Coordinates of all heavy atoms in Angstrom, one line a residue:
N44 N -3.9 -12.5 22.9 CA -2.6 -11.7 22.6 C -2.9 -10.2 22.7 O -4.0 -9.9 22.4 CB -2.1 -12.1 21.2 CG -1.6 -13.5 21.1 OD1 -1.0 -14.0 22.1 ND2 -1.8 -14.1 19.9
R45 N -1.9 -9.5 23.1 CA -2.0 -8.0 23.2 C -2.2 -7.6 21.8 O -1.6 -7.9 20.9 CB -0.7 -7.5 23.8 CG -0.7 -6.1 24.0 CD 0.5 -5.6 24.6 NE 1.7 -5.9 23.9 CZ 2.3 -5.3 22.8 NH1 1.7 -4.1 22.5 NH2 3.3 -5.7 22.2
A46 N -3.1 -6.6 21.6 CA -3.4 -5.9 20.4 C -2.2 -5.2 19.9 O -1.5 -4.5 20.8 CB -4.6 -5.1 20.4
V47 N -1.9 -5.2 18.7 CA -0.6 -4.5 18.2 C -1.0 -3.6 17.1 O -1.7 -3.9 16.2 CB 0.4 -5.6 17.7 CG1 1.7 -5.0 17.1 CG2 0.7 -6.6 18.8
A48 N -0.4 -2.4 17.1 CA -0.5 -1.4 16.1 C 0.1 -1.9 14.8 O 0.9 -2.7 14.9 CB 0.1 0.0 16.6
P49 N -0.3 -1.4 13.7 CA 0.3 -1.8 12.4 C 1.7 -1.5 12.3 O 2.2 -0.5 12.8 CB -0.5 -1.0 11.3 CG -1.8 -0.6 12.0 CD -1.4 -0.4 13.5
V50 N 2.5 -2.4 11.7 CA 3.8 -2.2 11.3 C 4.0 -2.4 9.8 O 3.6 -3.4 9.3 CB 4.8 -3.1 12.1 CG1 6.3 -2.9 11.7 CG2 4.7 -2.9 13.6
I51 N 4.6 -1.4 9.1 CA 4.6 -1.4 7.6 C 6.1 -1.4 7.2 O 6.8 -0.6 7.6 CB 4.0 -0.2 7.0 CG1 2.6 0.0 7.5 CG2 3.9 -0.3 5.5 CD1 1.9 1.3 7.2
I71 N 3.1 -6.1 6.1 CA 2.3 -5.4 7.1 C 2.0 -6.5 8.2 O 1.5 -7.6 7.8 CB 1.0 -4.9 6.5 CG1 1.3 -3.8 5.4 CG2 0.2 -4.2 7.6 CD1 0.1 -3.4 4.6
T72 N 2.2 -6.1 9.4 CA 1.8 -6.9 10.6 C 1.0 -6.0 11.5 O 1.1 -4.8 11.5 CB 3.0 -7.5 11.3 OG1 3.8 -6.4 11.8 CG2 3.8 -8.4 10.4
G73 N 0.2 -6.7 12.4 CA -0.5 -6.0 13.4 C -1.9 -6.7 13.6 O -2.2 -7.7 12.9
T74 N -2.7 -6.1 14.5 CA -3.9 -6.7 14.9 C -4.9 -6.4 13.8 O -5.1 -5.3 13.3 CB -4.4 -6.2 16.2 OG1 -3.4 -6.6 17.2 CG2 -5.8 -6.8 16.6
Q75 N -5.8 -7.5 13.4 CA -6.9 -7.2 12.5 C -8.1 -6.7 13.3 O -8.2 -7.0 14.4 CB -7.2 -8.6 11.8 CG -6.1 -9.1 10.9 CD -5.9 -8.3 9.7 OE1 -6.8 -7.4 9.2 NE2 -4.9 -8.3 9.0
P76 N -9.0 -6.1 12.6 CA -9.1 -5.8 11.2 C -8.2 -4.4 10.9 O -8.0 -3.7 11.8 CB -10.6 -5.5 11.0 CG -11.1 -5.0 12.3 CD -10.3 -5.7 13.3
M77 N -7.8 -4.4 9.6 CA -7.1 -3.3 9.2 C -7.8 -2.6 8.0 O -8.4 -3.3 7.2 CB -5.6 -3.7 8.8 CG -4.8 -4.2 9.9 SD -3.2 -4.5 9.3 CE -2.4 -5.5 10.6
T78 N -7.6 -1.3 7.9 CA -7.9 -0.6 6.7 C -6.7 0.0 6.1 O -5.7 0.3 6.7 CB -9.0 0.5 7.0 OG1 -8.4 1.5 8.0 CG2 -10.3 -0.1 7.6
F79 N -6.8 0.3 4.8 CA -5.6 0.7 4.0 C -6.0 1.9 3.1 O -7.0 1.9 2.5 CB -5.1 -0.4 3.1 CG -4.9 -1.7 3.9 CD1 -5.8 -2.7 4.0 CD2 -3.6 -1.9 4.5 CE1 -5.6 -3.9 4.7 CE2 -3.4 -3.1 5.2 CZ -4.4 -4.0 5.3
Q80 N -5.0 2.9 3.0 CA -5.2 4.0 2.1 C -3.9 4.4 1.5 O -2.9 4.9 2.2 CB -5.8 5.3 2.9 CG -5.9 6.5 2.0 CD -6.8 6.3 0.8 OE1 -8.1 6.1 1.0 NE2 -6.3 6.3 -0.4
L116 N 1.6 4.6 2.4 CA 0.4 3.8 2.7 C 0.1 4.1 4.2 O 1.0 4.0 5.0 CB 0.8 2.3 2.5 CG -0.3 1.3 3.0 CD1 -1.6 1.5 2.2 CD2 0.2 -0.1 2.8
T117 N -1.1 4.4 4.4 CA -1.7 4.6 5.9 C -2.5 3.3 6.2 O -3.4 3.0 5.4 CB -2.4 5.9 6.0 OG1 -1.6 7.0 5.6 CG2 -2.9 6.0 7.4
V118 N -2.2 2.7 7.3 CA -2.8 1.5 7.8 C -3.4 1.8 9.1 O -2.7 2.3 10.0 CB -1.9 0.3 7.9 CG1 -2.6 -0.9 8.4 CG2 -1.2 0.0 6.6
S119 N -4.7 1.5 9.4 CA -5.3 1.7 10.6 C -5.9 0.4 11.1 O -6.3 -0.5 10.4 CB -6.5 2.7 10.5 OG -6.0 3.9 10.1
N120 N -5.8 0.2 12.5 CA -6.5 -1.0 13.1 C -7.1 -0.4 14.5 O -6.9 0.8 14.8 CB -5.6 -2.1 13.2 CG -4.5 -2.0 14.2 OD1 -4.3 -1.0 14.9 ND2 -3.6 -3.0 14.3
P121 N -7.6 -1.3 15.2 CA -8.2 -0.8 16.5 C -7.2 -0.2 17.5 O -7.6 0.6 18.4 CB -8.8 -2.1 17.1 CG -9.2 -2.9 16.0 CD -8.0 -2.7 15.0
V122 N -6.0 -0.5 17.3 CA -4.9 0.0 18.2 C -4.4 1.4 17.7 O -4.1 2.3 18.6 CB -3.7 -0.9 18.3 CG1 -2.7 -0.4 19.3 CG2 -4.3 -2.3 18.8
G123 N -4.4 1.7 16.4 CA -3.9 3.0 16.0 C -3.8 3.1 14.4 O -4.2 2.2 13.7
T124 N -3.2 4.2 14.1 CA -3.0 4.5 12.7 C -1.5 4.8 12.4 O -0.9 5.5 13.1 CB -3.8 5.7 12.2 OG1 -5.2 5.3 12.4 CG2 -3.6 6.0 10.7
V125 N -0.9 4.2 11.3 CA 0.5 4.3 11.0 C 0.6 4.6 9.6 O -0.1 4.0 8.7 CB 1.2 3.0 11.4 CG1 2.8 3.2 10.9 CG2 1.2 2.7 12.9
T126 N 1.5 5.6 9.2 CA 1.8 5.9 7.8 C 3.2 5.4 7.5 O 4.2 5.6 8.3 CB 1.7 7.4 7.5 OG1 0.4 7.8 7.8 CG2 2.1 7.7 6.1

Side-chain angles (χ1 to χ4, degrees):
N44 294 321
R45 181 180 58 85
V47 179
V50 176
I51 308 167
I71 301 173
T72 60
T74 300
Q75 294 288 344
M77 293 186 198
T78 60
F79 308 92
Q80 176 63 64
L116 174 62
T117 299
V118 180
S119 297
N120 74 2
V122 180
T124 298
V125 176
T126 298

